């Protein structure tokens, strides 16, 4: 059977970070969140209404609001029974709210105790805020953004093993940083390196036991 690739315009992005207050309010509305879920594939207000069991007028209202906020994009227009049908698609499969939405009250790692678990949250929030901005700029320039992500699970047999691992990891990172850090290079660029570790949620622990 011959297959044809799905046009890129008809594929939502994997992830979108929302830093606009209007878009944030829209996506936090349960009815509009349902519309976004219904439009993971191209559809219209008519198909949304049928999918969600609501009126076309109500579906069209939510569709218009989401499109105005940039959470839906137009992928096609077609004539159907003498009426122009607008086909739309969700901008992404999933979304993250940027900490920048909180303005001056957004978390700043410099204001958090470095020895607390909340410091890890603050650093993670900074990663979301900065990396989303850099990614957007790279996309607009049509350039890839160099980044590195290491994500794994590890089960320590004891608190003592966890402490030894932490010491070994800190020594390794310090040694690598000392080896590669160079402030004299004319083509160099500063990078952030964050290493986080935290217990897995208990529900995930229980799922492994089944």
């Amino acid at each position: 059977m011959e297959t044809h690739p799905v046009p890129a315009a008809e594929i939502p992005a994997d992830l979108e970070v929302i830093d606009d207050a209007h878009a944030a309010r829209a996506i936090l509305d349960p009815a509009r969140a349902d519309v976004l879920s219904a439009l993971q594939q191209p559809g219209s207000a008519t198909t949304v209404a049928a999918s969600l069991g609501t009126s076309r007028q109500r579906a069209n209202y939510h569709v218009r609001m989401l499109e105005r906020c940039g959470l839906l994009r137009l992928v096609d227009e077609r004539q159907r029974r003498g009426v122009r049908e607008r086909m739309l698609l969700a901008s992404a499969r999933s979304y993250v709210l940027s900490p920048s939405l909180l303005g001056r009250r957004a978390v700043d790692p410099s204001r958090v105790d470095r020895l607390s678990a909340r410091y890890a949250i603050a650093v993670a929030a900074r990663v979301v805020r900065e990396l989303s901005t850099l990614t957007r700029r790279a996309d607009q320039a049509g350039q890839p953004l160099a980044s590195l992500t290491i994500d794994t699970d590890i089960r320590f047999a004891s608190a003592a093993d966890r402490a030894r691992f932490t010491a070994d990891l800190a020594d390794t990172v310090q040694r690598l940083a000392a080896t590669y850090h160079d402030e004299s290079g004319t083509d160099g660029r500063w990078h952030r390196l964050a290493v986080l570790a935290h217990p897995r949620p208990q529900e995930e622990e229980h799922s492994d036991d089944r």
Side-chain angles (χ1 to χ4, degrees):
M1 178 184 296
E2 184 180 3
T3 60
H4 300 278
V6 178
E10 297 187 10
I11 302 176
D14 291 333
L15 172 70
E16 181 176 329
V17 180
I18 295 175
D19 56 10
D20 176 77
H22 296 293
R25 282 194 292 269
I27 203 170
L28 290 174
D29 181 285
R32 290 171 189 169
D34 288 342
V35 172
L36 280 177
S37 296
L39 289 173
Q40 290 296 301
Q41 300 290 335
S44 65
T46 300
T47 64
V48 168
S51 174
L52 301 181
T54 188
S55 68
R56 186 187 183 284
Q57 182 179 13
R58 181 175 294 274
N60 187 59
Y61 172 73
H62 291 313
V63 164
R64 291 288 187 180
M65 291 298 295
L66 289 167
E67 186 180 9
R68 193 175 303 159
C69 293
L71 297 173
L72 291 177
R73 67 172 187 266
L74 181 67
V75 295
D76 193 16
E77 289 186 280
R78 59 184 65 166
Q79 290 294 124
R80 184 178 180 182
R81 298 175 184 174
V83 178
R84 187 183 65 174
E85 187 175 37
R86 304 175 75 252
M87 304 297 292
L88 299 113
L89 180 70
S91 60
R93 293 189 179 94
S94 56
Y95 299 87
V96 173
L97 297 181
S98 172
S100 64
L101 287 165
L102 297 174
R104 293 182 180 179
R105 304 314 304 164
V107 65
D108 180 349
S110 67
R111 299 199 299 260
V112 181
D113 178 7
R114 293 179 66 92
L115 299 180
S116 71
R118 289 178 175 81
Y119 184 71
I121 296 174
V123 170
R126 184 179 64 189
V127 169
V128 172
R129 185 182 71 247
E130 294 183 346
L131 197 52
S132 62
T133 298
L134 293 169
T135 301
R136 185 179 299 109
R137 291 173 181 172
D139 289 345
Q140 292 172 348
Q143 298 290 332
L145 179 67
S147 64
L148 168 67
T149 304
I150 299 174
D151 182 20
T152 190
D153 290 347
I154 180 170
R155 190 177 191 276
F156 298 108
S158 66
D161 280 353
R162 185 184 63 212
R164 283 191 290 269
F165 174 84
T166 301
D168 287 346
L169 179 61
D171 288 343
T172 300
V173 171
Q174 190 174 32
R175 175 175 52 81
L176 288 172
T179 300
Y180 290 98
H181 180 71
D182 184 354
E183 297 187 32
S184 64
T186 57
D187 295 327
R189 181 174 182 179
W190 285 93
H191 284 67
R192 291 198 194 276
L193 174 65
V195 181
L196 306 177
H198 60 82
R200 273 173 41 173
Q202 288 188 350
E203 55 269 24
E204 291 191 22
E205 294 281 356
H206 295 159
S207 68
D208 285 349
D209 294 338
R210 290 198 292 269

